[in-house]
Amino acid sequence: HRDEDFDDLAFTLNNLALVRMAQADYGEAAELWREALPIAEASGHMMYGPILIGLADVQCQELRTASGIEMSKQAVTVSNKTFGVDNWRSQRALLTRAYCRSRGNEGPAGEDIDTEAARAALAEIVERWGETNFFSQRASTQLGEILQGQE
């Protein structure tokens, strides 16, 4: 899906960050995404949304939810515009936003979260990648934490 103008640096940094995240090295993943973010933003790179998603996810895992919520909100907008609302990446952004909101301290955990939309997002990701892929596993964990917060 790449053309001759494709900037591999943002793509490569995003993929390296995903590997680090899969290895539970969240600090290194966040550093890689922070490095990739301005590169992707400046060039209007297609990976801008996915980089925002990853960084928001890490921030919310670390309970830096205010910045994570804002970044995840931006990730939803950017991903919908870049990939379309029904694309798995946009659904990942939606699920990450719900996850961030469930970890926020603006009220009860999970308040006003559309759990059906979160379940549908997980289903879209699993349909695209299968159940054992990193994206599916992370989405399943996010949904589990969202639902746990609803109890």
Side-chain angles (χ1 to χ4, degrees), residues 36-113:
L37 191 63
I39 296 167
E41 183 178 24
S43 64
H45 198 285
M46 66 181 268
M47 295 311 291
Y48 183 53
I51 291 166
L52 285 167
I53 296 166
L55 193 50
D57 190 8
V58 169
Q59 288 179 342
C60 292
Q61 283 184 42
E62 295 174 343
L63 295 177
R64 295 190 337 239
T65 54
S67 60
I69 287 169
E70 282 306 308
M71 194 167 283
S72 66
K73 183 178 177 181
Q74 185 180 4
V76 170
T77 301
V78 170
S79 296
N80 286 348
K81 182 178 178 185
T82 304
F83 302 108
V85 175
D86 294 327
N87 183 278
W88 73 271
R89 283 189 170 105
S90 297
Q91 295 300 304
R92 181 172 168 242
L94 180 79
L95 184 56
T96 298
R97 181 161 187 246
Y99 167 72
C100 286
R101 291 179 62 224
S102 76
R103 294 181 60 85
N105 57 7
E106 298 87 40
E111 184 178 48
D112 297 320
I113 293 173

